[in-house]
Amino acid sequence: MIAQTPASTPSDTYQRYVLLYLLFMVLLWSVLMAISHKAPDLDGMEELVWSASFELGYLKHPPFPSWVMAALTSMLGRPAWLTFAAGMTASVLGLWFIWKLACEFLSPERALMVLLISSVSIYFSLRGTIFNHNTAQLWSVTAATWFFYRASRDQKPADWLWLGAVAALSTVTKYSAVILFTAFFLYFLRSGMWRQRQTWVGVGLALLAYVLVLSPHLYWLVKHDFAPFRYMDGSLETHTRWQAYKELLAFSLDQLGRLSPMIVAMIALGIWNHRDKKKRAQSDTALQDKQRYADAISRSDKQFVLWVGLTPMISTVLISAIMGTRLVASWATTFFVLYGFFALWILHGQDKIQLRRIAIIVIVLQILLASGYALARGPLAWHTGRDSRSTFPGPEVSAQMQAIWKEHMPGIPLKVVVADTWLGGNIAVHAGQDVMVFIDADPAASPWLKLPQDLQCGALIVYSIQTRGKPPQSLLELYEQAPIKGLTEQRWSSERSPMIDLNWAILPAQRSCPFTATAGHDG
């Protein structure tokens, strides 16, 4: 990339505007989700369960999001709202780095326009409330993109080192970071950076930092026979190529829907500008300037935005079409982080006027999206009796199970719940900070447990056909071994909702349990 002078440093005023808007997003979505949801999303519950211990890796995914959740739960406990706040924090951090990148070659006004338009994407707004590996990766993907831009332009060793370190954190968040690295590599070739000796020195520094940060997880992968890669390989499989093409079409249409608020914002701005132009006198040309904002961007910066911005989606679709692999809509969470920049090819007119209008449109859209989603997932789901995870009676189910445990194991604290992640998590998070879930009675899926020591004080086994279907064989076998069994039920939400069957069993505490000396119990 040809070196050039960066755009002027954003004023404190615009910096404050950005911080206030990002704080507004976190509070708006987190508070409304906390009010409307009785339980977190499945992925959020998974992170709460996984955060029971600090592991260098997990059966399904790399560990960084669980490290973050472990740090948060150690300070704040395991309330449902924590997952929403954590997800939105990752989202707004991603937007912050988009702002930082935009300020490198745009005026503060135009950089803020890019941030605002990007922020109404479903991935940064509605799905930003879901703290999973996709959402948790938003900040590292945008941060790595910013550092890559700076490193390739200025060739400073510090930027290359930061690029390597952040890229490693993105990898230990989700392995799909390799798609971003593919975009970097293609731009690396297209821009001619590879011809510069300085670039190769920088790449060496980035690789050094990458390997150093990644090395603990690499050690874990080797020790555990690359277990997450086997899970990932299985999740890509489809039955037939025709099925793969159908899923690819559905995947592409889903992405259009998830970008639709950005399109709505641009349409609303176009209508507003058109109506205003008709009201103005012909002599007033403030909004009649037809020069697009993109015309003021250098050729190299345009190349960067286009190559790095478009490669993730295009390459994923092409590879899936060729190989016939399965795609899930949420896997594309980080593919569109630079799409707000593409509005610069449409926008024109006086900066301050356009910024004010975009800000009004975007804030209205955020409020409508958040309140509409909260209404649909809360009161409406409750009234219709729909078996939505947002209305799942986690506190009530946990209270029932704790009462049953205390009845049969008086004086012995509940420490282990054997269940699937969702049901077990809902029981555990309301039963105490140190209550752990033995997921599906599978030791490989529950590395936080030391077996058989952690079962010395017994365990509560629970499964529900209503919430999950038939449990896995490993859980059923442990259920059959338990001498104490029963069945209880709990209404999902309103009287219109289905009943949840709670098939429970208790493995009694052993004589080696330290609490048995002072507690009498059945069995």
Side-chain angles (χ1 to χ4, degrees), residues 14 35 52 94 165 260 302 348 370 388 414 433 462 470 521:
Y14 284 100
I35 293 171
S260 60
K302 286 180 182 176
H348 62 89
S388 168
L414 174 62
Q433 180 72 9
V462 192
K470 185 179 178 181
H521 60 275

Side-chain angles (χ1 to χ4, degrees), residues 491-510:
R491 182 72 67 181
W492 194 293
S493 56
S494 67
E495 290 301 316
R496 299 182 180 184
S497 67
M499 295 296 292
I500 302 169
D501 59 301
L502 298 167
N503 302 272
W504 59 266
I506 291 177
L507 285 178
Q510 301 168 14

